[in-house]
Amino acid sequence: MSVKKLEELRSQRWFGPTDLRSFGHRSRMMQMGYTLDDFMRKPVIGIINTWSGFAQCHTHFPERVEGIKRGVWQAGAFPVELPALSLSEQYVKPSAMLYRNLLALEVEELIRSHPVDGVVLMGGCDKTTPGTIMGGISMNLPMIFMPAGPMMRGHSGGKILGSGSDVWKFYAEKEAGTISEAQWNDMEAGIARSAGTCMTMGTASTMTAIAEVLGFALPGASSIPAGDAAHARMAAHCGKRIVEMVWEDLKPSDIMDRRSVENALVIHNALAGSTNAMIHLVAMARRGGVAIKLTDFDDYAQKVPVICNLRPSGAWLMEDFFIAGGVRGLLKRLEHLLHLDAVTVAGTLGQGLEGAEVYNDDVIRPLDKPIAALGGTAILYGNIAPDGCVIKPPAAEPRLLNHTGPALVFDSYDEMTKAVNDLDLDVTPDHIMVLRNAGPIGGPGMPEWGMLPLPKKLLKQGVRDMLRISDARMSGTSYGACILHVSPESAIGGPLAAVRTGDLITVDVSKRSIHLHVSDEEIKQRIAAWTPPPRNYPRGYYRMFVQHIRQAHEGCDFDYLEGAQGIPEPEIH
């Protein structure tokens, strides 16, 4: 039932009055070929489209935006497309993460500055999901998220391939000399075969699943493959539903609360989701005024089993997950851990699970047959990570989860790359590789450099995993014993800057501990003698970024964008 009246629509401030300024607004709409009947006396729906010619995961968005428009028209409203930053994970350098907050700011101001009553957010490629949602939360108008959906499975030489995960594995074999250049080239042409995001449980699928469980996407929407006909129908449904939400005045502040965030923590662990979610979910929750800390992730990791058998931690891919029941099937199996009364764009979470089933118990495991009984992710603390760091235990070789070894330290990615290709490098499988100056400021933008390539010398010996520590992130499709997001980062004088090659480091995941075997006094002396890398940008976005970015454990938002305080509506004269 409608709770908002026509005259209360935000767009009416632009189009409704009989003054000179509104005359200009209406006449310019007519300039674009619309009639008054098209846009007057009805909601105006903005469609935030993160498509571009470089947005490989969003190549189907030109068709999907037409589907959304169709749904909006059918519901009696007027759709308007608003392009936003596309943030291709593959092409934007040094990292799409550098621009996540810029996308959030753009989305918020696109909505605020235009005559829209509600919005459909189109995203999927890693940073576009948190970026668009963060902006939408801050603006707090009715919004619904339309996930891009995963791509088709890859294949090469008769083998099924998963994005990222199998790239790293095959690259290691190529460097070890066990596969040919021809095999490598064949895989290059077969690993990404359609529109859509990575079809492993990487950052894209983790974040769209979280968006759904937070309540911002339609039930089941995040699991639908991009090329499935159901995806086009879902897009049209988004268009219809957002119009209803405008009349209901259902806003992000009505949806996001502690219950929805705790539901997201549950599914993140059940999926063994991307470590990047720890940064994004903290930032998203803070935008909605919900306090969340890294310890919350660890608390839920101790009580939520990993029951999704999906790469990189398991065997299957996203299309298999969709056929097995998708997010709705997974949530049905986790009902006892969820706040079923949490509000979503389509009722309550519990209502969205009605009729949900699991159709393949190997893809979505029963609770008594998990991939891991607990610990999809783990937060470690110690004298080189006083504010925490993260590891994904199911993706690491078990022998490395309790390990002591000497550090092999690199101050730049280029330095590290040169070293790992040196067959005479002084390194053993017990060494712990350390990369610093790769955090939010050091990168800048905290690039996905954390899955450090293994030294070629060790690859040829058959080694396929070793401990790696950095203040960087890594792709959600990656795997291995990679300790990430060390906070505070080395570039601002965090203790990681004090580590020297040969220092012993102990990692004990069961005790959530990471320890540098150097005295506190020695660490202080080393930091005092340390020279930070130059990051004094003379102008532009980089300068603004390094002046205002938060650290990893705080979500890497800009300090001036955090919080749930509203900004006044623009004056119209």
Side-chain angles (χ1 to χ4, degrees):
M1 176 178 288
S2 297
V3 297
K4 181 169 280 192
K5 299 176 182 178
L6 175 66
E7 58 269 21
E8 296 173 331
L9 291 177
R10 187 172 178 271
S11 58
Q12 288 297 297
R13 297 181 61 223
W14 277 260
F15 299 125
T18 58
D19 59 16
L20 179 61
R21 181 53 59 203
S22 295
F23 168 91
H25 296 153
R26 292 188 296 269
S27 69
R28 293 304 183 176
M29 292 299 290
M30 296 174 76
Q31 177 187 4
M32 292 186 281
Y34 297 112
T35 68
L36 292 177
D37 288 340
D38 287 332
F39 63 90
M40 287 291 289
R41 301 184 63 78
K42 60 184 64 174
V44 177
I45 303 300
I47 305 172
I48 306 293
N49 189 353
T50 53
W51 175 90
S52 82
F54 275 119
Q56 74 290 332
C57 298
H58 299 171
T59 55
H60 55 318
F61 275 16
E63 292 77 33
R64 294 297 176 266
V65 76
E66 294 305 316
I68 295 170
K69 288 179 180 179
R70 184 172 71 250
V72 171
W73 285 116
Q74 289 173 351
F78 178 67
V80 179
E81 186 177 353
L82 297 169
L85 285 169
S86 60
L87 297 190
S88 162
E89 195 66 31
Q90 277 66 32
Y91 295 115
V92 174
K93 304 298 180 184
S95 168
M97 183 64 189
L98 183 67
Y99 300 101
R100 183 202 67 182
N101 298 340
L102 182 60
L103 173 60
L105 182 60
E106 180 187 25
V107 168
E108 180 179 352
E109 298 308 322
L110 276 174
I111 300 170
R112 188 190 325 283
S113 61
H114 287 92
V116 298
D117 302 297
V119 290
V120 178
L121 308 174
M122 302 178 67
C125 192
D126 297 11
K127 310 307 176 291
T128 60
T129 298
T132 55
I133 290 177
M134 287 162 66
I137 290 171
S138 293
M139 187 57 206
N140 200 34
L141 285 184
M143 73 172 192
I144 191 168
F145 180 75
M146 193 221 76
M151 69 174 89
M152 297 169 60
R153 297 181 296 182
H155 69 80
S156 176
K159 295 181 179 179
I160 299 298
L161 302 177
S163 304
S165 306
D166 285 314
V167 175
W168 315 125
K169 291 176 182 177
F170 275 78
Y171 184 73
E173 298 306 322
K174 175 178 175 290
E175 292 298 282
T178 61
I179 67 169
S180 68
E181 194 73 25
Q183 288 174 303
W184 176 250
N185 292 339
D186 184 64
M187 189 183 120
E188 183 176 300
I191 191 71
R193 300 172 49 232
S194 73
T197 58
C198 293
M199 80 300 268
T200 48
M201 185 45 67
T203 303
S205 289
T206 299
M207 292 313 303
T208 55
I210 284 175
E212 179 179 332
V213 176
L214 283 173
F216 294 129
L218 292 169
S222 65
S223 313
I224 306 172
D228 196 297
H231 197 272
R233 295 192 292 271
M234 180 269 292
H237 192 180
C238 287
K240 292 178 182 178
R241 179 58 191 146
I242 190 59
V243 179
E244 297 169 347
M245 290 172 63
V246 167
W247 290 120
E248 296 166 6
D249 199 28
L250 181 59
K251 303 180 297 296
S253 59
D254 302 313
I255 295 172
M256 175 174 268
D257 58 18
R258 183 70 193 183
R259 294 171 301 170
S260 62
V261 172
E262 289 182 352
N263 287 339
L265 290 168
V266 170
I267 195 171
H268 176 252
N269 280 283
L271 292 168
S274 168
T275 51
N276 289 308
M278 298 182 167
I279 294 174
H280 299 317
L281 184 56
V282 168
M284 293 160 72
R286 287 187 173 198
R287 289 290 186 103
V290 180
I292 178 175
K293 299 180 291 186
L294 288 184
T295 50
D296 291 315
F297 288 90
D298 214 37
D299 289 345
Y300 276 82
Q302 296 301 306
K303 58 187 178 185
V304 180
V306 178
I307 60 172
C308 280
N309 187 12
L310 301 174
R311 302 184 200 182
S313 297
W316 300 88
L317 296 171
M318 284 301 297
E319 186 174 357
D320 306 303
F321 179 57
F322 173 62
I323 294 169
V327 166
R328 291 179 69 244
L330 172 63
L331 293 177
K332 191 71 175 177
R333 195 151 271 182
L334 297 167
E335 275 186 316
H336 64 292
L337 295 171
L338 299 168
H339 299 286
L340 298 176
D341 59 343
V343 178
T344 76
V345 297
T348 65
L349 185 69
Q351 289 170 336
L353 300 184
E354 293 175 4
E357 295 183 49
V358 173
Y359 303 105
N360 187 324
D361 282 343
D362 189 45
V363 179
I364 304 174
R365 294 285 185 88
L367 294 172
D368 60 351
K369 295 181 180 179
I371 298 298
L374 48 82
T377 52
I379 307 300
L380 313 181
Y381 292 91
N383 61 351
I384 56 173
D387 291 325
C389 54
V390 59
I391 187 173
K392 196 172 181 178
E397 289 189 8
R399 66 182 178 85
L400 297 171
L401 299 180
N402 186 349
H403 179 78
T404 298
L408 182 60
V409 181
F410 306 102
D411 283 319
S412 73
Y413 199 90
D414 286 342
E415 177 190 353
M416 180 272 299
T417 301
K418 181 178 179 181
V420 298
N421 286 308
D422 182 0
L423 292 177
D424 294 322
L425 180 68
D426 185 10
V427 63
T428 71
D430 288 332
H431 269 88
I432 299 175
M433 297 176 69
V434 176
L435 175 68
R436 53 193 179 201
N437 302 322
I441 291 175
M446 207 176 179
E448 292 186 341
W449 295 346
M451 186 183 171
L452 310 184
L454 300 187
K456 188 177 292 188
K457 174 181 178 179
L458 297 182
L459 289 172
K460 289 182 177 294
Q461 295 173 12
V463 176
R464 292 297 181 268
D465 198 7
M466 62 189 298
L467 268 173
R468 289 155 278 181
I469 300 172
S470 74
D471 45 16
R473 298 176 303 111
M474 76 175 181
S475 167
T477 66
S478 301
Y479 63 93
C482 301
I483 296 173
L484 312 156
H485 309 180
V486 171
S487 188
E489 64 175 305
S490 57
I492 63 170
L496 191 66
V499 183
R500 294 178 180 173
T501 293
D503 289 345
L504 288 179
I505 298 174
T506 293
V507 171
D508 189 336
V509 173
S510 66
K511 294 181 179 179
R512 299 300 192 261
S513 171
I514 181 169
H515 181 72
L516 174 67
H517 291 268
V518 173
S519 70
D520 291 345
E521 185 60 33
E522 175 67 15
I523 290 174
K524 289 180 182 179
Q525 291 176 4
R526 291 182 184 183
I527 294 295
W530 162 83
T531 301
R535 293 293 185 269
N536 298 317
Y537 303 106
R539 55 169 299 280
Y541 180 71
Y542 275 41
R543 182 177 178 85
M544 182 179 76
F545 184 93
V546 299
Q547 289 177 343
H548 294 284
I549 193 68
R550 294 288 197 188
Q551 286 294 290
H553 70 285
E554 301 170 304
C556 292
D557 204 353
F558 289 153
D559 51 16
Y560 62 85
L561 292 179
E562 292 180 321
Q565 300 86 353
I567 294 176
E569 286 281 356
E571 295 187 22
I572 300 176
H573 299 297

